[in-house]
């Protein structure tokens, strides 16, 4: 047996703990059936970090993340945090963690599950077979640019954020995106706002330079406003989408809309330190504590964890196939149109995935 893989669990806020439990159960099931040893340590983050330890990224959480082989995060964000100092906001904990772990590449796949093509707001023929990967720059741009401030009172109030990229920040994430395109269908679209923004003009120059090293990739540029439209009109045209931090945040929620729910999209954040895996969705305060959240995004993030951080692609495929099978069997959480009479909650959905996973290993 190989050594024990250490996973830091950061359940966070709202539905975060509910979907983190689902992800943990699925990881435990896959590991047990593959004779892989996992250990889990839980740490507070977000508003839970503030309440328990006085900080959205407590020191113990940061140390635990550094020491782990992978971090799994549920979600951060709580309505009670409205109006608190910016550095005590739950989101600040997540942003600080991404920065501390050097996570500059955020992979956000949208792979439409055939059985769910009819739950998309788009017609089946537009979404069937859609399989795209958003590569979002995660360590720079408006999220981290200095200076930033909100000053003054009354009519004298003013605010400032800084959008800055240097060439090396673009090069490193573009390299990852091109390599991914090579391993996928060989197509890449880089999305920017080069008709208005200097940062986007730099982005284009650097992407053009990186492209020279990958002549087999068919690639082009698209302005972000048009890209937002194309993503709903013809999502099937995209293979790899490469874009900066804020555009990637927005377009990935739009991609979730194409899929039919935010509860479906997983993500992986990679860079120089411990990789981090989290659903694309937030803490969903409207669902929190009710056992109603769709755990699919979290479960598929766990699959990405097993593939990217633990090098267990077989476990990842088994988890994805179990999720596909549960949807093919008609199981639906409320966000996917399951109505009050037929919808299952987080726990029942996870039970079904776990049972299916056990079955797939025993029949293999
Ligand atoms: P949200 O993603 O929490 O919710 C948006 C909508 O999607 C809501 O209607 C919600 O019910 C639904 N939804 C989200 N996850 C779902 C799931 N698993 N199953 C079923 N439905 C689901 O976004 P929001 O309402 O804009 O933000 C709420 C809080 O979450 C804010 O504090 C925000 O900062 C935070 N947030 C955190 C993350 C993160 O931790 N990575 C991501 C996005 C937002
Ligand atoms: C996401 C979230 C975060 C982001 C917030 C909570 C800081 O929206 O992961 O998509 O904007 O990156
Ligand atoms: Mn987001």
């Amino acid at each position: 047996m190989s050594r024990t893989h250490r996973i830091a669990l950061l359940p966070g806020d709202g539905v975060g703990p509910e979907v983190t439990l689902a992800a943990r159960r699925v990881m435990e099931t896959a590991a047990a059936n593959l004779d892989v040893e996992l250990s889990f340590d839980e740490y507070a983050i977000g508003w839970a970090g503030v309440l328990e330890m006085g900080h959205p990224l407590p020191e113990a959480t940061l140390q635990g993340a550094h020491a782990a082989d992978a971090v799994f995060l549920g979600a951060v964000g709580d309505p009670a945090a409205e109006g608190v100092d910016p550095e005590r906001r739950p989101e600040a904990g997540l942003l600080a963690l991404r920065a501390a772990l050097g996570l500059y590449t955020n992979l956000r796949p949208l792979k439409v599950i055939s059985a769910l093509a009819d739950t998309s707001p788009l017609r089946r023929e537009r979404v069937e077979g859609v399989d795209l990967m958003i590569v979002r720059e995660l360590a720079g741009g408006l999220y981290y640019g200095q200076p930033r401030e909100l000053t003054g009172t009354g009519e004298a109030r003013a605010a400032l954020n800084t959008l800055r990229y240097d060439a090396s920040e673009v090069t490193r994430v573009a390299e990852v995106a091109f390599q991914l395109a090579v391993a996928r269908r060989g197509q890449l679209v880089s999305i920017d706002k080069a008709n208005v923004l200097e940062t986007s003009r730099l982005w284009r120059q650097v992407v053009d330079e990186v492209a020279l090293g990958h002549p087999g990739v068919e690639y082009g540029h698209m302005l972000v406003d048009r890209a937002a439209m194309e993503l709903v009109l013809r999502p099937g045209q995209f293979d790899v989408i490469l874009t900066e931090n804020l555009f990637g945040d927005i377009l990935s929620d739009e991609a979730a809309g194409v899929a039919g729910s935010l509860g479906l999209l997983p993500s992986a954040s990679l860079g120089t330190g411990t990789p981090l895996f989290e659903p694309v969705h937030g803490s969903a305060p409207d669902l929190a504590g009710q056992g109603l959240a769709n755990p699919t995004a979290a479960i598929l993030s766990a699959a990405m964890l097993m593939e990217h951080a633990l090098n267990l692609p077989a476990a990842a495929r088994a988890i994805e196939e179990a999720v596909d099978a549960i949807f093919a069997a008609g199981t639906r959480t409320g966000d996917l149109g399951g109505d009050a009479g037929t919808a299952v909650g987080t726990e029942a959905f996870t039970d079904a995935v776990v049972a299916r996973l056990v079955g797939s290993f025993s029949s293999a």
Side-chain angles (χ1 to χ4, degrees), residues 3-363:
R3 71 182 178 84
T4 299
H5 298 286
R6 299 185 62 179
I7 298 174
L9 289 179
L10 282 48
D13 307 319
V15 299
E18 302 166 46
V19 301
T20 299
L21 177 61
R24 176 183 180 152
R25 290 181 58 205
V26 168
M27 285 190 274
E28 282 173 339
T29 304
N33 283 279
L34 289 167
D35 209 14
V36 170
E37 203 72 52
L38 303 182
S39 73
F40 295 93
D41 295 294
E42 266 195 36
Y43 301 96
I45 193 164
W47 194 239
V50 172
L51 295 181
E52 288 169 36
M53 324 273 287
H55 196 278
L57 180 61
E59 188 56 32
T61 304
L62 185 57
Q63 294 311 323
H66 278 305
D69 295 303
V71 178
F72 183 95
L73 184 140
V76 296
D78 192 294
E82 276 321 309
V84 304
D85 293 344
E87 61 277 9
R88 274 170 55 88
R89 283 193 65 97
E91 294 83 356
L94 174 56
L95 296 177
L97 180 64
R98 289 173 179 167
L101 297 177
L103 304 173
Y104 59 83
T105 301
N106 184 210
L107 305 180
R108 299 191 154 187
L110 165 61
K111 195 169 179 183
V112 170
I113 295 172
S114 180
L116 293 183
D118 293 316
T119 65
S120 167
L122 304 182
R123 287 198 297 282
R124 171 176 276 275
E125 62 267 26
R126 300 243 165 156
V127 293
E128 181 101 68
V130 165
D131 179 1
L132 61 84
M133 177 70 82
I134 297 173
V135 180
R136 170 190 179 195
E137 199 289 324
L138 199 63
L142 275 170
Y143 278 68
Y144 294 99
Q146 294 290 346
R148 56 189 298 160
E149 62 181 21
L150 173 57
T151 54
T153 54
E155 286 308 304
R157 278 172 299 169
L160 170 71
N161 288 99
T162 300
L163 175 48
R164 182 182 188 283
Y165 272 107
D166 68 37
S168 69
E169 290 175 296
V170 184
T171 302
R172 61 185 184 176
V173 69
E175 260 315 324
V176 176
F178 274 92
Q179 283 165 20
L180 257 168
V182 170
R184 290 172 52 96
R185 300 194 301 280
Q187 292 169 0
L188 185 149
V189 177
S190 174
I191 293 174
D192 61 39
K193 189 70 183 171
N195 54 343
V196 176
L197 302 175
E198 279 69 23
T199 44
S200 282
R201 288 176 200 136
L202 171 72
W203 185 275
R204 266 192 198 208
Q205 287 172 10
V206 174
V207 172
D208 283 342
E209 288 157 18
V210 172
L212 293 174
H214 304 274
V217 175
E218 186 190 316
Y219 95 106
H221 303 279
M222 196 182 283
L223 298 171
V224 64
D225 44 356
R226 173 170 176 191
M229 182 275 295
E230 295 281 352
L231 195 54
V232 280
L233 200 63
R234 265 188 331 125
Q237 72 186 279
F238 296 108
D239 179 13
V240 174
I241 288 173
L242 166 65
T243 193
E244 65 99 54
N245 204 344
L246 183 64
F247 296 161
D249 179 46
I250 296 168
L251 292 176
S252 55
D253 269 32
E254 189 189 354
V258 169
S261 172
L262 260 173
L264 294 171
L265 259 62
S267 87
S269 303
L270 312 173
T272 55
T274 313
L276 180 150
F277 302 83
E278 54 171 327
V280 168
H281 66 73
S283 56
D286 50 330
L287 294 180
Q290 302 172 55
L292 296 177
N294 182 349
T296 303
I299 290 170
L300 295 177
S301 299
M304 293 186 88
L305 184 158
M306 299 195 89
E307 175 157 21
H308 292 275
L310 310 186
N311 195 22
L312 296 168
R317 295 295 88 73
I319 293 168
E320 289 163 1
E321 283 164 20
V323 169
D324 281 356
I326 295 316
F327 284 130
T331 312
R332 298 284 183 274
T333 42
D335 56 311
L336 296 174
D339 61 34
T342 59
V344 300
T346 314
E347 189 177 359
F349 186 93
T350 309
D351 288 344
V353 173
V354 165
R356 182 77 197 194
L357 202 49
V358 171
S360 77
F361 285 116
S362 59
S363 65

